[in-house]
Amino acid sequence: MSIKLQDVNYIYGIGTGQEIHALKNINLEINNGEFIGLAGHTGSGKSTLVQLLNGLMRASSGVIYYNGQNIYDKLYNMHSLRSKVGLVFQYPEHQLFETTVINDVQFGPKNLGLPQLEMELRSFQALKMVGIGDELLDVSPFTLSGGQKRRVAIAGILAMQPEVLVLDEPVAGLDPAGRDEILGLLKKLHSENNITIILVSHSMDDIAKYVNRMLVMNKGEIVLDGNPAKVFQFEKELERIGLGIPQAVKVCHQLREAGAYITGEPITAEDCAEAIYQWLKV
Amino acid sequence: MRPFIKAENVVHEYSRRDEEGNVTDINRALDGVDIEVTAGDFVAVLGANGSGKSTFAKHLNALLVPTEGTLYVDGKDTSDHNNDLKIRQTAGMVFQNPDNQIISNIVEEDVGFGPENIGVPTEEIWRRVEESLKNVEMYEYRKQSPNHLSGGQKQRVAIAGIMAMKPNCIILDEPTAMLDPEGRKSVIKTVRELNKKENITIILITHYMEEVTAADYVYVMGSGQIKMRGTPRQIFARSEELTKYKLTIPEVTKIALELIKKGIQIPKDILYVEELTNALLKLKMHQ
């Protein structure tokens, strides 16, 4: 699996006199097995970008290649692209609609035209992957907790067996335990099921600990690209575009500015405490 | 002094009914809540999803009334429907989704909607609209359509709409859940300023730990009950208990606790980055 964007532009409202240039000359390559965090404040273009990835919207100019094939080619099978690149929208639990959990998860595979048996098998597997037990298969999705509902919604996408899972703000509105639950699930899907994950969020604290590559967008452009430790070195730049950095990184930066010798770029509280401990010991 | 809000053993049950109207299921969302809030306080209510905090918030301006127990807002019993209008004027509510609470095509008309409905004379409405938009730093947007505002700006307009009704208290139910960091900061800053400068009582419901560090007092809810109460420092020093209620502590407090575990002697109720770095630098100097 690979996705390649070449000189991609997206302009809302072309010809209306109120054009908004949402994406400007994006060049980007997403490789198999990556866990990407896509950050940027509201209106930076990140939601526009992810909707181009599975062909929901068409770039105003530029080309997108999926596994080397131009997805705008006349003969390209857009339908199969949409099952390969699964998109989980913000507040996906608002899209639950069926009477039982299992029916809701089966809706996607059913629309792929799969045989009954295959459809059921995939749905059971998907629910197992997100940790929804058999006892919940026949209950109404509306009786579940917020975190459970969201996991059922994600299972609905997983049942399509995507190669890439794109999630737009998957932890918005959840309490800390719910946040850890969803992010832990994504980590597991990435490591155990080898799914490439693109996590869209404006909370640095949430994504920094999980992803191995961060993309930061501002005004329709990708301004920073690299592993979290590298991206967080640009503290001033991140703050200027309204994002900020995790508190652990901030603590280390401040100590270093005051002359402390702290090695590495710790992101979690534990690593940060260890780095400080090493410095205090000397 | 009489407390501005006084909840005595408040219970709220949501009951589900079948087609004949018989109760089939009862969900006890609030289970004996006791709270007293002094006028002018900044109070935060923390709680996991489903802990009952939104149900409690809706009691504070009589959108819901207790199944058992009593709740007084500004000395008025919320169960008495004759008090509804007075209570809603004195305690205004801001909800999570900014798009669900804005109704006009122009910012200043939206802010004027509240006072207009309670029969404020026209000139007074315009005076209040101006004042409250200035208070939330949205005055320069007064002629614009709310559609073009960011989430944080919309929430501030919603707050201005409440302010224009001259309430003594504003209840905010997860006002920042849908906002980006910049929007979150601007809303919290606005709320703090209204508390300090205008002496408005604030009840902030949230599960972002960083937002409650500035509160005078924090209540933690779990399974419809108040499980913990105290100042932010007292609450965050009890991290194990918080985890039990599906909450957490700010990252910087976590770092401090990790260091204490390793034998470093720093206070265990640290809430701010500067506080931690200053304590550490001081420690290093004395080594």
Side-chain angles (χ1 to χ4, degrees):
Chain A
M1 193 294 305
S2 75
I3 303 176
K4 192 174 169 192
L5 285 80
Q6 208 169 50
D7 300 321
V8 167
N9 282 277
Y10 192 88
I11 301 163
Y12 285 98
I14 289 184
T16 60
Q18 298 179 354
E19 294 176 359
I20 296 170
H21 206 150
L23 293 176
K24 296 173 191 158
N25 285 318
I26 302 281
N27 283 291
L28 173 67
E29 222 172 306
I30 294 162
N31 303 309
N32 198 29
E34 283 190 309
F35 194 155
I36 295 180
L38 177 58
H41 66 89
T42 317
S44 61
K46 52 193 198 308
S47 293
T48 307
L49 180 66
V50 296
Q51 289 183 67
L52 294 183
L53 295 182
N54 76 344
L56 268 187
M57 298 199 309
R58 198 194 164 95
S60 308
S61 70
V63 191
I64 297 177
Y65 296 96
Y66 189 81
N67 287 338
Q69 285 181 300
N70 182 348
I71 68 165
Y72 297 137
D73 201 279
K74 268 205 190 87
L75 296 172
Y76 190 80
N77 184 352
M78 205 56 119
H79 199 68
S80 86
L81 178 69
R82 293 201 179 119
S83 69
K84 294 275 188 309
V85 183
L87 188 54
V88 179
F89 286 101
Q90 250 183 71
Y91 294 89
E93 62 274 22
H94 293 173
Q95 298 170 39
L96 298 173
F97 70 102
E98 274 282 8
T99 47
T100 66
V101 165
I102 188 74
N103 283 350
D104 208 287
V105 175
Q106 281 182 5
F107 183 76
K110 202 188 278 176
N111 277 281
L112 289 179
L114 295 172
Q116 179 73 22
L117 201 65
E118 168 78 10
M119 189 175 89
E120 283 177 6
L121 188 69
R122 282 190 179 197
S123 312
F124 287 133
Q125 276 173 346
L127 281 165
K128 207 170 163 197
M129 275 155 93
V130 301
I132 296 285
D134 290 348
E135 73 283 1
L136 293 176
L137 295 185
D138 291 320
V139 308
S140 161
F142 302 104
T143 60
L144 303 177
S145 77
Q148 285 174 326
K149 274 190 215 166
R150 203 162 285 190
R151 282 186 286 150
V152 169
I154 293 174
I157 304 290
L158 289 174
M160 318 266 283
Q161 297 191 339
E163 295 174 337
V164 186
L165 189 60
V166 186
L167 305 104
D168 197 355
E169 297 285 358
V171 296
L174 294 182
D175 59 48
R179 253 177 262 170
D180 289 345
E181 183 186 307
I182 296 287
L183 291 170
L185 164 69
L186 297 181
K187 192 176 167 182
K188 195 180 113 211
L189 290 174
H190 174 252
S191 60
E192 289 176 18
N193 302 82
N194 195 30
I195 298 176
T196 304
I197 294 187
I198 303 175
L199 173 60
V200 180
S201 176
H202 37 54
S203 165
M204 290 294 194
D205 276 301
D206 283 341
I207 59 182
K209 293 173 202 163
Y210 293 91
V211 305
N212 47 37
R213 178 180 175 193
M214 278 188 66
L215 297 170
V216 179
M217 291 192 70
N218 188 35
K219 295 183 181 161
E221 289 174 294
I222 294 175
V223 290
L224 293 170
D225 180 355
N227 65 36
K230 186 181 147 202
V231 166
F232 291 139
Q233 286 169 10
F234 297 88
E235 182 179 346
K236 295 260 146 55
E237 175 78 3
L238 287 168
E239 244 148 45
R240 197 177 54 76
I241 60 181
L243 282 174
I245 54 173
Q247 284 190 326
V249 179
K250 205 172 216 166
V251 167
C252 292
H253 283 192
Q254 279 196 10
L255 286 173
R256 225 174 262 157
E257 263 167 46
Y261 181 70
I262 297 207
T263 49
E265 191 75 90
I267 288 163
T268 63
E270 292 78 16
D271 292 350
C272 177
E274 180 58 30
I276 293 171
Y277 181 68
Q278 292 303 333
W279 159 65
L280 282 174
K281 239 175 42 180
V282 216
Chain B
M1 202 165 84
R2 187 182 72 186
F4 183 72
I5 289 166
K6 188 175 166 74
E8 285 174 342
N9 191 32
V10 170
V11 171
H12 190 85
E13 288 175 341
Y14 291 107
S15 34
R16 195 176 302 170
R17 289 166 197 277
D18 62 12
E19 274 128 39
E20 277 92 45
N22 304 312
V23 175
T24 55
D25 190 22
I26 290 177
N27 174 13
R28 201 168 245 237
L30 293 181
D31 190 10
V33 171
D34 289 298
I35 281 185
E36 271 188 29
V37 177
T38 312
D41 267 2
F42 183 159
V43 170
V45 180
L46 285 171
N49 296 110
S51 61
K53 57 193 192 312
S54 290
T55 302
F56 179 67
K58 289 188 186 121
H59 277 75
L60 296 178
N61 72 345
L63 286 176
L64 293 175
V65 293
T67 316
E68 283 169 39
T70 39
L71 179 69
Y72 300 97
V73 176
D74 205 9
K76 294 172 194 71
D77 186 346
T78 61
S79 301
D80 180 354
H81 283 298
N82 296 322
N83 290 332
D84 282 359
L85 205 59
K86 282 221 172 80
I87 288 171
R88 286 177 196 153
Q89 278 177 39
T90 191
M93 183 108 151
V94 176
F95 295 94
Q96 184 180 118
N97 188 343
D99 290 321
N100 291 351
Q101 12 181 5
I102 289 191
I103 42 148
S104 296
N105 297 323
I106 301 167
V107 166
E108 59 181 6
E109 283 181 11
D110 194 82
V111 176
F113 182 80
E116 194 180 357
N117 271 280
I118 53 175
V120 175
T122 311
E123 290 114 74
E124 172 67 9
I125 295 179
W126 286 115
R127 214 188 49 72
R128 288 190 188 184
V129 167
E130 184 183 327
E131 189 188 324
S132 25
L133 278 172
K134 281 182 178 162
N135 260 327
V136 300
E137 291 176 24
M138 286 298 292
Y139 187 63
E140 55 184 305
Y141 297 93
R142 65 191 182 280
K143 300 283 184 202
Q144 284 198 23
S145 157
N147 289 325
H148 298 300
L149 303 179
S150 73
Q153 290 173 328
K154 282 183 201 167
Q155 279 303 48
R156 275 146 59 200
V157 169
I159 294 173
I162 304 288
M163 285 297 292
M165 296 171 71
K166 296 265 169 208
N168 296 310
C169 170
I170 301 183
I171 302 133
L172 302 106
D173 190 0
E174 294 191 46
T176 62
M178 303 179 94
L179 308 182
D180 64 14
E182 198 78 340
R184 273 169 63 187
K185 248 188 250 166
S186 77
V187 168
I188 296 301
K189 182 172 154 253
T190 303
V191 168
R192 268 191 223 166
E193 271 168 17
L194 290 179
N195 176 248
K196 290 254 144 38
K197 290 188 193 148
E198 313 285 322
N199 202 29
I200 307 263
T201 308
I202 302 284
I203 316 278
L204 173 66
I205 290 161
T206 183
H207 38 228
Y208 285 106
M209 304 301 138
E210 292 79 12
E211 289 175 0
V212 310
T213 51
D216 296 312
Y217 214 70
V218 178
Y219 291 94
V220 175
M221 288 191 74
S223 340
Q225 293 170 338
I226 303 292
K227 300 286 191 184
M228 297 166 72
R229 48 182 92 207
T231 63
R233 280 186 207 282
Q234 289 166 348
I235 295 287
F236 289 132
R238 294 154 69 184
S239 70
E240 277 110 29
E241 248 176 293
L242 277 170
T243 320
K244 205 165 74 193
Y245 304 119
K246 298 186 175 181
L247 298 171
T248 180
I249 51 176
E251 282 288 304
V252 60
T253 315
K254 222 181 264 175
I255 298 169
L257 288 179
E258 286 289 326
L259 283 166
I260 292 167
K261 257 196 249 165
K262 291 175 191 288
I264 307 293
Q265 291 186 351
I266 44 171
K268 67 174 196 169
D269 58 353
I270 280 177
L271 295 184
Y272 303 100
V273 170
E274 286 73 20
E275 226 180 322
L276 177 63
T277 52
N278 288 339
L280 288 169
L281 290 168
K282 217 185 203 169
L283 198 70
K284 184 81 182 169
M285 236 166 56
H286 291 297
Q287 263 182 11

